Amino acid sequence: MIVNWTDNAIEHLVGIYAYVGHSSPSYARKVVDRITRRSEQLAAFPLSGRIVPEYDLKSIREIIEGSFRIIYHVKRNQIDVIAVVHGAQPLPSLDG
């Protein structure tokens, strides 16, 4: 299955890289690489993540990578990664 990283999720990755990169650019690259590599799991096993409790929709799921929640939407022919948030942050609204 195709995994599409939305503009919103890419912005989150850029923010994560910038924040972590202030203290260690090499560690920031590793964190972002680990997060993006999880796309392979999503492509192979789209339903492997749990349903996001805050949204309670079967098609909105998440996998955890370190301290980050990777939120994704399972569609018929693709998966859209819609957000990457630190576990301590509130989740964005699904409305936009």
Side-chain angles (χ1 to χ4, degrees):
M1 188 170 289
I2 296 171
V3 177
N4 173 54
W5 284 78
T6 64
D7 291 342
N8 187 58
I10 292 170
E11 287 177 24
H12 290 169
L13 288 176
V14 170
I16 291 165
Y17 180 84
Y19 181 78
V20 176
H22 282 295
S23 57
S24 176
S26 63
Y27 183 66
R29 279 190 298 279
K30 289 177 185 178
V31 168
V32 170
D33 284 346
R34 283 197 322 260
I35 291 169
T36 55
R37 267 189 269 130
R38 295 302 294 269
S39 295
E40 296 171 16
Q41 175 186 340
L42 297 179
F45 305 103
L47 300 178
S48 63
R50 73 176 186 155
I51 294 171
V52 178
E54 293 90 337
Y55 299 145
D56 197 28
L57 299 168
K58 289 183 181 181
S59 63
I60 306 293
R61 296 180 170 264
E62 71 179 341
I63 55 175
I64 307 299
E65 178 56 50
S67 300
F68 296 95
R69 298 171 73 181
I70 303 166
I71 313 297
Y72 63 100
H73 183 192
V74 179
K75 296 181 174 179
R76 183 180 189 119
N77 296 316
Q78 76 179 36
I79 296 165
D80 287 342
V81 178
I82 56 177
V84 180
V85 296
H86 190 277
Q89 291 178 305
L91 292 183
S93 167
L94 287 178
D95 297 333

